[in-house]
Amino acid sequence: MIPKRIAESIEKWFQKDYRATFYERIEYLLESRELFEDLPYAIRYGRTLQYILDNISVFIQPEEKIIGYVKEIIPSEEQKEVAEKLSDEWWNLDLETIQEKILWFYSYGWLKRRPPWFYSFGHLALQWDEIINKGLLSLRSKAVEKLNDFEVIRDQNKHDFIQGTIICYDAQIEYIKRYAREAESLAALCQDESRKNELMQIGKSCSHISEKPARSFWEALQLMWLIILPLQKVAGCGVLNFSRMDQYLYPLYKRDVENGVLSKEEALELIIEFYNKNNDIMSPTDHMSQESETTQYSIEVAYDDPNYITLAGKRDDGSPGVNELSYLFVEAAHKLKLRNPYIVVRYYNGIESNFWKQTCEAVRDNATVVIYNDETMIPALISYGVDELDVYDYGFYGCNDPNIPGKEGGLRQMWFNLLRPLELALNSGNYPMEPDREKVGIKGVQGSLEDRMIGLMSGPYYGVETLNPDKIKNINELLECYRLQLRHLLEGYREGFEKDFGVEKRHNAGRMRIEDCFLEGTIENAITWNDGGTKYHKLLIQGGGVASVVDSLAAIEEVVFKNKEYTLCELVEILNRNYVGHEFLQKRLVNKMPKFGNDIKWVDDLARMVVDIFCDEVMRVNSTDYLYSFFPTLSTDRDFTGEGAGVGATPDGRMAKAPISENQSPTIGKDKNGLTALFNSLSTVPFNRVTGGPLNIKLHPSAVKGDIGLDAFASAVETYMRNGGLQIQVNVVSKEELLDAQQHPEKYSDLCVRVTGYSAYFVQMGRKAQDELIARSELK
C-alpha cells in the first residue's frame, strides 16, 4: 500500500494549477543581479547561488520524513510580465551574441528562463557515491587545497573558477543547515511527542549531513534530496541521472537492516517518498508539447525535467548487480506509477528470474520502467572510448542519452537525419528541395549557427558528387553512394563543431556552473567540464529515420533493381515532383512494399547495412586530436515531424516534408506481423555498435493479460535481449482508451504513458503528441 500521506500528496499534485511558480527564484535573481554584476563570472555565479539559497523560504510539510520543498505562488499579471521581459532582455539577441553568453542550448523554450550569468546545462550525473560517503565538506576541502596549486595561483581564470566552486559549496552547506534549524524550531513547538522526536532527529541529521557523510540509508536519501532540490529549482540543473542507486546505497541499507534500525517496509516507504518528491516539484505539463498553453505559460526554470535511476546490470567484476534494493526500487515505481523518476533496468544474461518477472510486470502495468541491455551497451560504449573500469556504471540522462556518472558533463547532441544522405545519393549530391549544383562537392561547414548550437539539420544540406542515378546498377552501389554522402555531412559537422568549440573556449574561460562542483576532474583541473575538466567529452549523433531509409531502399530494390518497373532516374524524377501524377504509385509504395519490422530477412539485412555505415562514419570522424568524441544513437526523440520537414519525397511513399520514422522503431503502422516478428527484425541491427535509442511499443492489454500473458511477455523480451536487442519501452493501452482520454480527460488524469525516453501524463500532452502516441502500431 502507498502511505496515506503520500497518496494524498499525489492526489493534490494532480489538482495543481499549472501556473504555480517558484517565484522567489526570480525575485532574488533580480536582487542579486545588481549586487554582484561587477564580479568575475565564476565568483558572481557562486554569490548568486548563495544569495538565493540564503533567502528563499525553507519549510517542512506535516508528517514528511524526507524534507525539502520550495514555495510556489500563482504569479500576478505584473509578475508574469516581469518574467517575460527578462527572457526577452536576456535572449532577444543575435545568435553570435547568444553563443558568447551561453555557448549552446537545447531549445528556445529551455533557454528563456536562464539568465546568461547564472545557468546550468543539467543532463548529467553527479558524483553521488562521493557526495554520500565523503560529504560536502570533503569536496570543499579539495577545492580549498587546489587554491594553493601554483598553476591556480598564477592563472586568474582558474583561481576564479575554484573560488566560485568554494562559494557554491558554502551555499549548499548553509542551505542544509537552514533546514536543520527549521526542523529544530518546529520540534520545539510540536505537541505530538512522536513527531517532535522525529523532527529533532531530522534536525540533528541535517546538521550532520550538511558537511559530513551520510550514516544511514535515510540520511543518504535526505542529503541527495537537499542537493537535487536547489540544483533543479534554483540553478536549473535538471534531467539528472541518479545513477545506480541500488549499488551505492546498498551498503548503508544493509547495515541499517542488520543493525535493526531499518526494515524493508520502512526502506520501501522512504523510496516511495523520495520518488514522490521528484514528481511533486514538476509542473503539470509536458515539456515536449511546446504548442500547449500550459507549457507556453511556464516561467519555471526546470518545470518538467525528469530524473533517471539505473538499476540492476552487471558489476565491474562481471558479477550480477541485482540486490534487495533493486527489488524495492522497482516495487516503489510499480506502486506509484508516477512519471518521475524514470527507472532504467539494465538486463544481463542470467538476470535473476524473480527480479526479471517483477520488472516485466511493472512494465506491463505501465509503471515508468524501461529496459536496456548490458550485453549490447557495454561493448558499444567501450568501442567509442569508454574505459572498462568506468563502463559498468553507465546510466542515462535525458531521452535515452548514455552517461558515465560523475566523469562527464552535460548533454551535447546533434539530430542527424539519416534520410538526408539517401536523398543526396539519389540526386548525385544535390538537394532537390532547393537545387543548386554550385554547392555540390563544397567541403566545410554546412548548416546555420542556430542549427549547430541546438544540434539540428533544419536547412538545406548539399553533398559530394557521387554516381548519377542512371549509373547506379544495384543496391550495393547505392549504399556506397549513401556512405559517401553521410561521410561528407559528418565531416562538415565535425568541422563546424570544432570551429564553434574554439569560440566557446575563448568566451568560457574562468566560467563555472553548479555541476562543476560535483564532477570528477573539474576541481582537479580547475576548469569547467565543457572545456576539458572531466575525463569524458562526448557529443551524441542521434541518428533518426532508420526505418524510413530501410523502407526506401527496399522499395528501390523491388521496383527498380528486381522488377525493373522504373529506372532509378525515373523514380527520382517522380520523387522530386512529390508524386504529382503518380498518386497510385505513391499509395502502392506505402502499402504494398516490404517494410522493416516484419521479419523479412533481406529487408532486415538492409537495416544492418545502414546502421553499420552510420556507425562506421561516426567512428571515422573521431580522433585523438579532438577533445569531443561522437557517439552514435538511434533516436529522434519526439522531433521526427520536424526532421521530416527538411526532406523531400522518398521511395517508401513518404511525401515531401512528412514525418520520418521515429527512433529505432519501424515506420508507424507498418509492422504488421506482431511482436515476435518485430523483435526478430530488430535483432539483426548491430546494436553492439549503438550507444542508445528507444524502441517504442504499444501493446493491447489483451496481449499480456493475467499470469499467462505476463509470462509470455517476460519471455519474449528476454529472448529479444538475448538476441541482441538494445532497449524497450512499452505502453500497454488500447487505442480506444486513448481516444476516450482525449474526449474525457477528467477521467484519465493519472494515465501515465511512455513517450520517447521520458514519461508524461497523457492528458497533459499537447494534441499533436497525443495523436502521435495513438498512431503507434498496436501489437498483439
Side-chain angles (χ1 to χ4, degrees):
M1 291 290 292
I2 301 172
K4 181 181 178 183
R5 61 191 176 84
I6 302 296
E8 290 174 349
S9 172
I10 293 170
E11 182 60 31
K12 182 179 178 182
W13 184 87
F14 280 114
Q15 307 304 319
K16 183 177 179 178
D17 192 314
Y18 69 86
R19 297 171 298 169
T21 301
F22 173 39
Y23 201 80
E24 286 184 335
R25 174 185 183 272
I26 297 172
E27 293 174 326
Y28 293 124
L29 261 178
L30 287 173
E31 291 180 15
S32 69
R33 177 171 61 176
E34 296 180 3
L35 291 171
F36 311 122
E37 63 182 343
D38 296 327
L39 296 175
Y41 188 100
I43 297 173
R44 183 185 188 185
Y45 187 102
R47 292 293 181 207
T48 300
L49 178 68
Q50 187 174 54
Y51 186 80
I52 296 172
L53 293 188
D54 283 351
N55 287 283
I56 59 174
S57 301
V58 297
F59 58 93
I60 298 171
Q61 300 180 92
E63 298 186 73
E64 66 179 354
K65 299 185 189 307
I66 298 175
I67 63 172
Y69 201 64
V70 293
K71 178 183 177 182
E72 293 183 328
I73 64 168
I74 306 298
S76 66
E77 286 300 317
E78 182 181 357
Q79 289 172 318
K80 180 74 161 58
E81 186 177 348
V82 167
E84 296 293 352
K85 284 184 177 178
L86 284 174
S87 294
D88 188 63
E89 173 190 332
W90 295 334
W91 302 117
N92 187 14
L93 306 166
D94 61 84
L95 282 166
E96 287 77 9
T97 303
I98 291 177
Q99 186 180 35
E100 293 174 6
K101 290 179 178 293
I102 205 170
L103 313 183
W104 46 275
F105 55 100
Y106 299 121
S107 69
Y108 285 100
W110 177 90
L111 186 68
K112 65 181 181 179
R113 305 308 179 203
R114 290 165 164 81
W117 71 90
F118 187 68
Y119 65 92
S120 163
F121 290 107
H123 299 76
L124 42 72
L126 310 184
Q127 292 174 283
W128 298 112
D129 200 352
E130 186 163 349
I131 291 167
I132 289 166
N133 293 310
K134 293 187 177 180
L136 291 175
L137 192 59
S138 173
L139 297 177
R140 184 188 188 278
S141 297
K142 184 168 63 174
V144 170
E145 184 179 344
K146 189 66 181 177
L147 278 179
N148 298 319
D149 189 296
F150 177 71
E151 185 181 4
V152 172
I153 292 172
R154 69 176 185 171
D155 188 323
Q156 189 62 49
N157 284 327
K158 292 190 173 185
H159 191 272
D160 291 343
F161 177 89
I162 296 296
Q163 285 280 30
T165 64
I166 292 170
I167 297 168
C168 288
Y169 291 131
D170 289 340
Q172 283 277 168
I173 289 169
E174 176 58 26
Y175 179 67
I176 298 174
K177 286 181 175 179
R178 289 185 66 202
Y179 269 102
R181 294 192 291 270
E182 178 67 12
E184 291 164 357
S185 297
L186 288 176
L189 300 173
C190 187
Q191 300 300 310
D192 183 294
E193 196 64 26
S194 175
R195 182 59 175 168
K196 180 185 184 76
N197 291 335
E198 198 169 57
L199 287 167
M200 288 175 62
Q201 183 57 51
I202 288 173
K204 290 177 182 177
S205 290
C206 284
S207 179
H208 174 84
I209 62 174
S210 67
E211 296 181 340
K212 299 175 183 176
R215 299 166 295 186
S216 67
F217 183 69
W218 174 84
E219 283 189 352
L221 290 176
Q222 181 64 80
L223 176 57
M224 288 183 69
W225 182 245
L226 288 179
I227 289 173
I228 294 162
L229 182 63
L231 257 67
Q232 198 155 342
K233 300 299 286 186
V234 174
C237 184
V239 194
L240 293 169
N241 168 19
F242 298 155
S243 187
R244 306 182 73 182
M245 291 185 75
D246 58 345
Q247 304 303 308
Y248 61 77
L249 291 181
Y250 185 67
L252 290 170
Y253 166 81
K254 184 179 179 183
R255 187 173 67 193
D256 285 354
V257 171
E258 289 175 349
N259 291 339
V261 299
L262 183 73
S263 67
K264 285 176 59 176
E265 292 72 25
E266 290 168 333
L268 178 61
E269 187 172 329
L270 287 173
I271 294 169
I272 285 173
E273 184 158 358
F274 182 80
Y275 283 9
N276 182 51
K277 286 279 187 181
N278 275 271
N279 196 75
D280 203 37
I281 62 172
M282 301 181 86
S283 297
T285 188
D286 171 34
H287 69 284
M288 291 298 292
S289 298
Q290 288 291 321
E291 74 282 3
S292 69
E293 176 187 354
T294 56
T295 302
Q296 289 180 356
Y297 176 91
S298 180
I299 54 177
E300 287 284 282
V301 70
Y303 57 91
D304 185 34
D305 283 351
N307 295 322
Y308 295 73
I309 296 173
T310 307
L311 302 174
K314 296 179 181 177
R315 295 164 58 86
D316 57 12
D317 60 1
S319 62
V322 173
N323 60 39
E324 202 168 88
L325 267 184
S326 311
Y327 285 87
L328 294 179
F329 276 110
V330 171
E331 183 178 352
H334 194 178
K335 286 180 179 293
L336 292 172
K337 297 181 186 175
L338 298 173
R339 64 173 178 172
N340 196 35
Y342 196 85
I343 310 301
V344 178
V345 171
R346 283 173 37 184
Y347 169 86
Y348 52 89
N349 291 342
I351 195 168
E352 286 83 340
S353 58
N354 288 339
F355 178 74
W356 180 247
K357 186 170 182 178
Q358 182 196 33
T359 296
C360 289
E361 185 175 15
V363 171
R364 189 269 307 266
D365 294 346
N366 288 322
T368 299
V369 178
V370 303
I371 298 166
Y372 261 93
N373 189 358
D374 274 9
E375 308 300 338
T376 57
M377 280 297 299
I378 288 173
L381 290 168
I382 289 174
S383 71
Y384 295 96
V386 178
D387 288 346
E388 190 163 356
L389 287 174
D390 300 325
V391 76
Y392 289 95
D393 282 334
Y394 83 88
F396 295 87
Y397 52 68
C399 298
N400 296 278
D401 305 316
N403 171 242
I404 306 303
K407 298 180 187 294
E408 61 175 317
L411 168 65
R412 302 200 68 163
Q413 63 188 347
M414 180 221 186
W415 300 105
F416 189 90
N417 191 330
L418 290 166
L419 268 180
R420 291 223 182 221
L422 179 61
E423 184 173 55
L424 295 176
L426 292 173
N427 290 275
S428 191
N430 211 348
Y431 176 56
M433 293 179 73
E434 295 181 31
D436 188 338
R437 292 303 312 178
E438 292 184 2
K439 293 183 179 180
V440 174
I442 296 177
K443 292 188 177 295
V445 179
Q446 288 201 72
S448 65
L449 177 58
E450 179 177 347
D451 267 17
R452 300 198 308 272
M453 288 173 69
I454 302 179
L456 303 176
M457 291 182 77
S458 61
Y461 283 80
Y462 296 85
V464 289
E465 188 166 355
T466 49
L467 290 175
N468 286 326
D470 62 345
K471 302 293 185 184
I472 297 173
K473 302 304 181 186
N474 55 54
I475 204 72
N476 289 327
E477 289 186 359
L478 177 57
L479 281 168
E480 185 56 30
C481 294
Y482 179 80
R483 179 189 293 275
L484 294 174
Q485 300 297 349
L486 196 154
R487 180 181 300 172
H488 177 76
L489 294 175
L490 279 177
E491 287 176 346
Y493 183 74
R494 169 61 86 174
E495 186 172 336
F497 176 81
E498 295 304 322
K499 173 185 174 184
D500 292 335
F501 185 53
V503 174
E504 292 174 18
K505 287 193 290 185
R506 289 198 300 275
H507 293 285
N508 205 35
R511 295 186 185 182
M512 55 81 58
R513 265 74 58 174
I514 187 62
E515 58 261 37
D516 287 315
C517 299
F518 302 107
L519 298 173
E520 183 180 316
T522 47
I523 301 299
E524 292 85 348
N525 295 307
I527 186 172
T528 179
W529 66 265
N530 186 85
D531 296 356
T534 49
K535 181 175 182 178
Y536 298 110
H537 303 84
K538 74 168 183 293
L539 185 142
L540 296 178
I541 304 297
Q542 311 267 26
V546 63
S548 293
V549 175
V550 174
D551 291 351
S552 293
L553 291 171
I556 291 171
E557 177 70 5
E558 284 283 294
V559 302
V560 175
F561 298 131
K562 180 181 175 183
N563 297 328
K564 304 188 185 303
E565 300 173 51
Y566 298 87
T567 67
L568 191 55
C569 281
E570 289 170 338
L571 180 60
V572 169
E573 186 175 347
I574 292 169
L575 297 178
N576 292 343
R577 293 179 181 176
N578 199 22
Y579 289 106
V580 172
H582 297 272
E583 289 78 9
F584 178 79
L585 173 63
Q586 185 267 331
K587 287 181 171 56
R588 180 177 163 225
L589 292 172
V590 169
N591 297 310
K592 298 298 182 181
M593 291 295 110
K595 304 290 183 181
F596 178 63
N598 293 291
D599 197 11
I600 304 169
K601 184 181 183 304
W602 69 269
V603 177
D604 299 341
D605 285 343
L606 291 173
R608 174 183 51 77
M609 289 187 278
V610 168
V611 174
D612 268 334
I613 289 170
F614 175 49
C615 294
D616 287 345
E617 299 308 320
V618 170
M619 192 169 283
R620 183 189 291 272
V621 295
N622 286 334
S623 165
T624 54
D625 295 336
Y626 303 128
L627 178 65
Y628 279 82
S629 294
F630 291 177
F631 283 41
T633 72
L634 295 179
S635 175
T636 58
D637 203 337
R638 250 205 63 221
D639 200 33
F640 44 91
T641 301
E643 291 192 47
V647 181
T650 45
D652 58 344
R654 178 191 149 275
M655 303 289 282
K657 301 185 178 182
I660 65 174
S661 63
E662 62 161 2
N663 303 299
Q664 304 173 27
S665 305
T667 302
I668 289 178
K670 300 308 171 188
D671 44 330
K672 304 284 191 181
N673 294 342
L675 186 63
T676 300
L678 172 63
F679 282 165
N680 287 344
S681 286
L682 281 157
S683 295
T684 65
V685 175
F687 284 126
N688 61 345
R689 306 188 67 193
V690 176
T691 62
L695 170 62
N696 298 314
I697 290 177
K698 188 171 73 175
L699 292 174
H700 193 279
S702 63
V704 291
K705 185 178 180 180
D707 291 341
I708 294 175
L710 175 60
D711 288 343
F713 174 63
S715 177
V717 177
E718 182 169 19
T719 300
Y720 175 55
M721 292 291 144
R722 283 184 176 275
N723 289 341
L726 174 64
Q727 189 263 17
I728 181 172
Q729 57 188 50
V730 179
N731 286 299
V732 181
V733 60
S734 68
K735 180 178 180 180
E736 291 73 24
E737 185 176 6
L738 294 177
L739 289 170
D740 192 51
Q742 281 188 325
Q743 297 299 315
H744 306 285
E746 69 284 355
K747 293 163 46 181
Y748 296 90
S749 62
D750 61 348
L751 176 58
C752 188
V753 294
R754 269 49 55 210
V755 184
T756 172
Y758 74 101
S759 289
Y761 292 107
F762 183 78
V763 299
Q764 293 173 6
M765 296 163 64
R767 183 63 181 240
K768 175 183 171 184
Q770 290 180 346
D771 289 344
E772 288 169 355
L773 189 68
I774 291 168
R776 286 182 188 169
S777 302
E778 188 173 273
L779 300 173
K780 296 184 179 181

